[in-house]
């Protein structure tokens, strides 16, 4: 979508915050093979049912097959007059139970969920027990033996800041600028046996969080020395970092934007 | 099983700790209609595959359809020589992914998972947000508007101690002695929007935790005055307490036993 198209808009632009369990979907984005169900397909379909319009949804983060979201943000233009506060209820009544709209807001017509994102929070969850848990299998990556959390934290600290993340980008990616800034990367164990890796930054390359998770797991197992992290980053070479952890452990938690201009009195 | 049968035993009695997502099962116990899958059926089937024996599994708490467990305890007698530490791995390789054995231990031949239980911990989880969550729908009961936690805590305090719990027992139950002791009943909100009701006690009547949860929810909504709890208990009348909360929010967390005598050197 170019600038000219962005300035020509129907009556209203709507922003949704969406949660989904990605287990049964082939990622967010509509696939060429229309037999593969995606989150975007489901949203398009329900919005069409509600408004009669064939809208084009833009998302903040194009999550892969099997990846989950607790705070995906999408936008679309519509002439519908469904009030903001009724939109989530109307959507949820028609969506499958593994996708829910938790918030809707009319925003400035120029708002763009991806271009306007200031940063994102992804969480990667490891299940660090010997026996699998029926409650964790869809939402975490089971790893055993016990990981060395202090080693992993030392390695994570090396990721903070602005770096060329070529070593943490899936080979074959066509993105040109590989500099990104990581604001925080924390590791938090919980009482159920999980370790949550929370990564926040201004943007993420293809598979970047999953490669970070795989590398930190290799550090936690003793396969990679945490002191070699600066070298791995400096190499800009994908083969120097660890494996790519599987998608089911990944969740898009939050997307940050600048405060939006007030629209028709309904926003803060 | 009478005492005489308990004293006549094959070589070994094994105790498992079992986790399960009860969503797709008709409760723990084998049903008369064998087309209804149960947790017990699955365990019997896999033990038979591993040992060639048709064993009879005893469980600590006969959970209903849709109820989950993180710490169900079962026992069975076997002549199998599969070592304790290999049993969970062997079981989990054959069990469906929504049931896992997380611990196995050879115990005294007289051990009985139900009769020997000193107490149990059940957790009832409420999801207290306006919009449903794809991650919570199988494991919690969604309630809105926001519940008054302080009122609920005041009501929960009245349950502590030894009482006749006739008002908190499903009508039609054939149990005769309705006195039970509740040791603790706490309410803990988490960052995802859940309220966990943790109830620990020496034993529970049929539907007791779900009726406690339903009653505390009615208190949290303002429908029941927390100061009327002693009266409700004293009434011994099921119609005086609140509704029975749905099974999906309930989970058997833990069962307590006295320390077991040491068997063949493999226990502490």
């Amino acid at each position: 979508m170019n600038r000219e198209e962005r300035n020509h808009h129907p009556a209203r632009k709507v922003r949704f915050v969406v949660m989904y369990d990605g287990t049964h979907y082939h990622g967010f984005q509509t696939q060429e093979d229309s037999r593969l169900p995606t989150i975007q397909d489901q949203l398009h379909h329900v919005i069409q049912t509600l408004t009669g319009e064939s809208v084009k949804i833009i998302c903040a983060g194009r999550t892969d097959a099997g990846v989950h979201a607790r705070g995906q943000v999408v936008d679309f233009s519509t002439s519908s007059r469904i009030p903001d506060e009724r939109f989530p209820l109307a959507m949820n009544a028609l969506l499958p139970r593994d996708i829910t709209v938790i918030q809707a807001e009319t925003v400035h017509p120029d708002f763009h969920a991806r271009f306007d994102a200031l940063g994102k929070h992804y969480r990667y969850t490891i299940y660090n027990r010997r026996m699998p848990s029926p409650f964790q299998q869809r939402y975490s990556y089971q790893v055993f033996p016990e990981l060395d959390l202090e080693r992993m934290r030392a390695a994570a600290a090396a990721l903070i800041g602005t770096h060329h993340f070529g070593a943490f980008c899936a080979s074959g990616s066509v993105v040109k600028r590989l500099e990104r800034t990581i604001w925080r990367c924390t590791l938090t164990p919980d009482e159920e046996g999980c370790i949550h890796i929370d990564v926040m930054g201004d943007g993420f390359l293809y598979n970047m969080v999953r490669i970070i998770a795989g590398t930190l797991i290799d550090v936690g197992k003793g396969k990679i020395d945490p002191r070699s992290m600066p070298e791995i980053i400096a190499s800009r070479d994908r083969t120097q970092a660890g494996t790519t952890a599987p998608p089911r452990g990944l969740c898009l938690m939050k997307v940050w934007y600048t405060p939006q201009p007030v629209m028709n009195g309904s926003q803060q």
Side-chain angles (χ1 to χ4, degrees), chain A:
Chain A
M1 190 185 278
N2 59 40
R3 276 284 151 188
E4 206 159 72
E5 283 169 336
R6 289 182 66 180
N7 290 332
H8 170 75
H9 51 75
R12 179 182 175 204
K13 180 156 279 192
V14 175
R15 171 168 77 183
F16 282 168
V17 180
V18 184
M19 290 178 94
Y20 47 84
D21 176 338
T23 307
H24 300 303
Y25 296 95
H26 290 265
F28 185 86
Q29 206 162 24
T30 298
Q31 299 291 302
E32 286 201 25
D33 181 345
S34 62
R35 288 168 304 181
L36 303 177
T38 69
I39 310 294
Q40 191 173 29
D41 294 341
Q42 299 286 347
L43 293 171
H44 278 160
H45 177 70
V46 173
I47 293 170
Q48 178 144 40
T49 304
L50 287 177
T51 68
E53 295 170 329
S54 180
V55 304
K56 171 89 170 95
I57 283 180
I58 308 286
C59 73
R62 284 168 291 192
T63 54
D64 273 337
V67 173
H68 315 289
R70 290 173 184 271
Q72 173 72 282
V73 176
V74 306
D75 78 66
F76 60 97
S77 295
T78 177
S79 308
S80 159
R81 298 190 179 174
I82 299 172
D84 287 356
E85 66 276 11
R86 302 228 28 167
F87 233 134
L89 296 165
M91 293 290 299
N92 294 339
L94 298 173
L95 281 167
R97 294 203 300 169
D98 47 11
I99 307 176
T100 55
V101 175
I102 59 169
Q103 200 198 314
E105 199 175 351
T106 298
V107 290
H108 192 280
D110 279 349
F111 176 81
H112 190 288
R114 186 149 59 251
F115 298 158
D116 292 347
L118 296 177
K120 298 195 191 86
H121 170 193
Y122 278 99
R123 167 172 284 189
Y124 197 92
T125 299
I126 299 159
Y127 188 63
N128 195 203
R129 290 214 175 140
R130 186 176 177 84
M131 295 304 159
S133 161
F135 305 99
Q136 295 298 337
Q137 43 144 327
R138 289 153 71 114
Y139 310 118
S140 66
Y141 173 39
Q142 195 199 353
V143 173
F144 201 79
E146 204 179 325
L147 299 173
D148 184 330
L149 210 56
E150 287 316 308
R151 279 174 65 94
M152 294 169 80
R153 284 180 172 142
L159 295 164
I160 309 299
T162 305
H163 303 286
H164 181 291
F165 279 102
F168 295 85
C169 178
S171 55
S173 168
V174 294
V175 178
K176 283 186 190 130
R177 207 185 56 81
L178 299 178
E179 282 78 24
R180 294 290 185 278
T181 300
I182 293 187
W183 301 326
R184 291 187 66 175
C185 181
T186 61
L187 287 100
T188 314
D190 74 16
E191 59 182 12
E192 290 187 40
C194 293
I195 297 172
H196 303 290
I197 305 176
D198 289 288
V199 193
M200 299 170 206
D202 66 350
F204 294 90
L205 303 170
Y206 189 54
N207 278 0
M208 182 166 152
V209 181
R210 289 167 55 192
I211 298 169
I212 288 174
T215 304
L216 294 181
I217 290 167
D218 284 347
V219 169
K221 284 176 173 172
K223 287 186 186 174
I224 294 178
D225 187 327
R227 289 168 298 186
S228 68
M229 286 295 283
E231 263 175 76
I232 292 171
I233 297 169
S235 77
R236 304 183 179 188
D237 174 3
R238 173 68 190 90
T239 68
Q240 298 300 301
T243 48
T244 306
R248 65 181 175 280
L250 187 60
C251 186
L252 172 54
M253 302 294 282
K254 196 176 166 71
V255 187
W256 285 281
Y257 297 94
T258 49
Q260 291 293 304
V262 174
M263 292 294 300
N264 59 34
S266 70
Q267 278 73 50
Q268 299 138 357

